[in-house]
Amino acid sequence: MVKLDTKVWIVDKDVDKSIGYPQIKEAAEYLRKNEVVAFPTETVYGLGGNAMSPLAVQKIFTAKGRPGDNPLIVHIAERDQVREIVSSIPDQAISLMEEFWPGPLTLLFPKGKQVPDQVTAGLDTVAVRMPDHPVALALLKESRLPIAAPSANRSGRPSPTTAQHVWEDLHGRIAGIVDGGPTQVGVESTVLDVSAPIPTILRPGGITIEELRMRLGEVQLHMSLVDEKVPPKSPGMKYTHYAPRGELWLVAGDEEQMVRTIQRLAKEAMEKGEKVGILSSDEHKEMYRGDVVISIGSRHDPTKMAANVYQALREFDHQQVTYILSETFSPEGIGLALMNRLHKAAGGKIIK
Ligand code: TXA
Ligand code: MG
């Protein structure tokens, strides 16, 4: 692969303040030339390329080292753009687009013929979302293109919540990075299949099942999210993902048991010479002895914990931790997405 000289464009998160924003114009020019450029969204940084160009889409897969059978989400800035990408719009999608776009909800539509097969990995559905981030929206509008964008990490690594994370993973492999500061939500969008008889969540994310039920009534989790033995319908969910380099174990049980188990296992691992990391909450941080103890926030503030989780997983790597014990959290609200990512990061390894 040719080594690229990755540009970095620094912009104010509130783009209205960067008058004329030449940085965004330049980044959009790159997209129009079918180069790939990373940019912030409200969830995580995305690696964008022209969704209508097989060449640009191929560059995304190559830069990430992403398996070709894992489809991409197409990002748009205006509702009308949906028509360019899909072959029909289910009624339920219309009401969801009204309520949740822009926002962290990805909807599956029957794929339009114009969309290259590489984008959807040969599937007959296409995933679409409108990100709720001024920089992302400005870039999408300026490019006048639908933009395919997976999370801007090397395949398998924790998703990037800052431009620095993108740089770590992808510098030299992509044309540029638009740096708009840290992202807000911190976990990816919810992927929802509205073509199923009961709307079905394929990947939990920024919009919670509780919020969707308020709008739609019945909403279910895909069986693969409930039973490990069922293969996922979102191809991306079958891979080990978001993984730090150290061996990560989740510890379940009631809070007291969980804390005691982590204390004991951390001590044993340190005695064996492991460099031990502990992913904690504010409530228990002071109770642990490990080489690197990181709190991602209060157990009462799952929004904050979700925003911090990927950063924490990367921090263990920076500190060259070899063995990580993680607390587990309530799967309510955004906690469901948080726990889903921790399960994937641990490759399913859990101590009950
Ligand atoms: O928040 C997000 O969604 C971020 C930002 C950048 O927008 N993007 C993101 O993309 O997380 P990615 O590629 O890392 O994850 C996309 C997920 C994968 O699990 C993929 O398999 C699934 O969406 N997906 C995409 N198209 C699909 C389709 N047609 N049917 C089922 N699942 C699909
Ligand atoms: Mg991803």
Side-chain angles (χ1 to χ4, degrees):
M1 165 171 196
V2 194
K3 192 161 187 311
L4 298 173
D5 189 10
T6 304
K7 277 204 155 204
V8 177
W9 297 280
I10 296 176
V11 296
D12 198 312
K13 178 176 189 289
D14 190 358
V15 271
D16 296 342
K17 287 191 196 137
S18 334
I19 307 154
Y21 33 95
Q23 309 93 314
I24 288 186
K25 284 215 160 76
E26 196 183 357
E29 271 314 306
Y30 274 69
L31 289 172
R32 291 198 63 81
K33 286 187 288 191
N34 296 328
E35 293 297 340
V36 297
V37 167
F39 61 95
T41 78
E42 80 281 35
T43 57
V44 299
Y45 272 72
L47 179 59
N50 178 2
M52 296 308 193
S53 157
L55 171 68
V57 171
Q58 185 50 51
K59 286 182 184 172
I60 295 174
F61 279 93
T62 306
K64 284 190 53 118
R66 181 174 174 107
D69 67 349
N70 191 3
L72 307 179
I73 297 172
V74 179
H75 294 63
I76 57 173
E78 258 135 336
R79 282 183 178 70
D80 287 348
Q81 285 178 288
V82 171
R83 291 173 200 292
E84 300 165 29
I85 318 167
V86 311
S87 64
S88 67
I89 304 181
D91 285 343
Q92 275 182 320
I94 295 175
S95 103
L96 291 169
M97 284 155 63
E98 259 166 34
E99 172 140 352
F100 295 108
W101 282 9
L105 179 67
T106 295
L107 298 171
L108 298 192
F109 294 89
K111 173 184 169 303
K113 284 195 198 66
Q114 319 82 298
V115 178
D117 287 332
Q118 290 90 331
V119 172
T120 62
L123 298 177
D124 54 10
T125 53
V126 58
V128 186
R129 92 174 188 101
M130 187 190 291
D132 186 15
H133 193 293
V135 174
L137 291 170
L139 180 65
L140 292 169
K141 280 184 191 152
E142 196 68 54
S143 76
R144 306 188 304 283
L145 292 168
I147 297 294
S151 49
N153 49 282
R154 286 290 279 272
S155 204
R157 301 264 303 135
S159 298
T161 54
T162 67
Q164 181 59 38
H165 298 163
V166 180
W167 179 265
E168 274 169 26
D169 278 17
L170 295 175
H171 74 90
R173 306 176 69 90
I174 62 176
I177 305 172
V178 181
D179 180 351
T183 61
Q184 296 280 307
V185 180
V187 291
E188 299 86 340
S189 63
T190 302
V191 179
L192 185 72
D193 182 0
V194 281
S195 69
I198 300 172
T200 303
I201 292 179
L202 306 185
R203 176 180 72 176
I207 299 291
T208 64
I209 193 166
E210 294 86 348
E211 286 173 284
L212 291 170
R213 282 183 177 147
M214 297 255 264
R215 184 77 195 195
L216 297 175
E218 223 180 341
V219 176
Q220 65 183 8
L221 292 174
H222 190 263
M223 273 310 288
S224 60
L225 297 168
V226 184
D227 179 350
E228 283 163 29
K229 287 180 241 45
V230 178
K233 190 172 171 195
S234 245
M237 301 291 290
K238 73 178 181 233
Y239 299 104
T240 300
H241 241 291
Y242 322 114
R245 298 198 176 89
E247 182 182 324
L248 170 62
W249 285 86
L250 309 188
V251 181
D254 69 48
E255 260 182 67
E256 234 186 272
Q257 271 179 337
M258 176 187 79
V259 170
R260 267 190 277 117
T261 308
I262 292 177
Q263 286 170 328
R264 177 172 54 79
L265 293 174
K267 184 163 176 279
E268 286 171 12
M270 278 161 70
E271 282 164 4
K272 277 194 216 140
E274 300 276 7
K275 183 157 183 188
V276 174
I278 298 174
L279 192 148
S280 174
S281 51
D282 289 351
E283 285 79 358
H284 305 136
K285 184 167 191 253
E286 302 304 325
M287 299 173 171
Y288 296 129
R289 293 286 161 269
D291 295 291
V292 182
V293 182
I294 300 176
S295 171
I296 56 172
S298 164
R299 300 179 75 82
H300 302 295
D301 190 356
T303 303
K304 183 168 174 201
M305 292 197 290
N308 288 333
V309 65
Y310 286 137
Q311 162 94 25
L313 293 175
R314 279 180 185 258
E315 186 55 30
F316 291 127
D317 285 351
H318 293 156
Q319 308 242 15
Q320 293 168 352
V321 163
T322 57
Y323 182 80
I324 307 163
L325 293 159
S326 172
E327 292 192 357
T328 47
F329 308 99
S330 158
E332 267 166 73
I334 192 126
L336 184 65
L338 171 64
M339 281 314 300
N340 170 266
R341 303 311 190 270
L342 283 174
H343 273 286
K344 297 263 158 208
K349 295 195 299 300
I350 185 158
I351 298 159
K352 296 216 164 115

